[in-house]
Amino acid sequence: MGQQCVDCVREAGATVRRPVTVAGARLRDKPILVPLLIAVNVAGYVLTAVQAGNFGANFRSALFVDYSLIPFTVAGGQWWRLVTSGFLHIGVVHLVMNMLALWVIGRDLELLLGRGRFAAVYGLSLIGGSTAVFLLGGAEVPVAGASGAVYGLMGGIAVAALRLKVSLRPVITVIALNIVASVLIPGISLLGHIGGLILGAASTAALVYAPRERRTLVQAGALVGLLVVLVVVLFVRDASYGDLSCTGSGYELACG
């Protein structure tokens, strides 16, 4: 075997164009963010369950009450609930369903988009779902769950399939069944699902349809633009709440 100098090999490697996905991400063999997100969600559930002393009624914990999404409290200045509610779940069944969906859908989408882009789509979908609940949901109805973000990934995988010209039937079927379930099953936050679906589809479209010559600039601009729209909508809705205060003594729970 011949010998090669280290500097020559390094220089040659730097000039070779590495293959990338349609979104501009380097090809990788395993996801990192999806398992991490699942771990964070599971940790959130375990913490609330231990604090409540009940794994079936973890929503009674102070942590859940302080960090779930209740629109009137967000209007009162507790904006963190728009994000933290996406990492809380109501019972183990709710958690398992969302985490299975995240694992099945999220792995492929993370590999296609790349970690940074995937994180952006997930975050925008989560906030998009919370924004829909804040806009149109009951002022005193607590909502929690990763479904807004997961539905965003569903929308994202559908857009990616369209871009790659592969069959959309399995993806559309899964989305349709989940939306029907959201309508028919009591206690499910349809608003959060639809909001997440729209933002996930829009943000993924911006990533996979960006022109190759200006890909990074267009992608970043589109993602920032979507975030700005969400922030503006949130501030406008917040102003319309006025001096709303909680007058009810009890509340219902909605799974997101």
Side-chain angles (χ1 to χ4, degrees):
M1 296 178 63
Q3 294 181 332
Q4 294 179 315
C5 69
V6 175
D7 291 337
C8 296
V9 173
R10 185 182 295 113
E11 183 177 351
T15 59
V16 175
R17 295 186 63 180
R18 297 182 179 181
V20 296
T21 69
V22 69
R26 290 183 180 180
L27 295 177
R28 300 181 186 275
D29 57 356
K30 67 177 182 179
I32 297 295
L33 292 184
V34 168
L36 180 60
L37 286 168
I38 291 175
V40 172
N41 278 278
V42 171
Y45 170 73
V46 171
L47 285 174
T48 56
V50 170
Q51 190 177 66
N54 189 323
F55 277 78
N58 63 303
F59 53 85
R60 294 175 180 168
S61 74
L63 185 66
F64 188 97
V65 172
D66 290 340
Y67 291 97
S68 58
L69 173 56
I70 309 174
F72 86 89
T73 60
V74 174
Q78 299 180 13
W79 292 91
W80 62 82
R81 293 176 181 266
L82 294 167
V83 176
T84 56
S85 60
F87 297 93
L88 298 175
H89 288 82
I90 304 169
V92 67
V93 174
H94 185 209
L95 173 72
V96 170
M97 289 178 61
N98 276 342
M99 294 305 99
L100 281 175
L102 174 56
W103 176 250
V104 171
I105 300 170
R107 291 176 300 170
D108 290 338
L109 199 59
E110 180 181 340
L111 295 178
L112 176 70
L113 299 181
R115 292 165 190 166
R117 296 175 180 87
F118 176 83
V121 170
Y122 190 91
L124 284 169
S125 301
L126 190 160
I127 298 173
S130 296
T131 299
V133 173
F134 184 54
L135 285 175
L136 303 170
E140 301 176 27
V141 179
V143 176
S147 297
V150 170
Y151 267 72
L153 300 186
M154 290 183 189
I157 204 75
V159 169
L162 184 64
R163 174 67 175 84
L164 295 170
K165 295 181 172 59
V166 298
S167 176
L168 285 171
R169 183 176 300 175
V171 178
I172 297 299
T173 300
V174 170
I175 294 174
L177 289 174
N178 276 274
I179 291 178
V180 170
S182 299
V183 174
L184 297 180
I185 300 176
I188 299 295
S189 176
L190 179 61
L191 287 171
H193 293 179
I194 293 177
L197 183 68
I198 293 172
L199 264 294
S203 55
T204 302
L207 297 176
V208 299
Y209 283 101
R212 183 178 302 178
E213 305 78 28
R214 296 171 294 143
R215 178 181 282 151
T216 302
L217 180 62
V218 171
Q219 289 177 338
L223 294 177
V224 171
L226 287 171
L227 180 60
V228 169
V229 169
L230 286 176
V231 171
V232 170
V233 170
L234 286 167
F235 272 103
V236 170
R237 178 61 176 128
D238 180 66
S240 69
Y241 260 98
D243 296 325
L244 178 66
S245 60
C246 179
T247 56
S249 57
Y251 56 80
E252 299 177 358
L253 290 167
C255 297

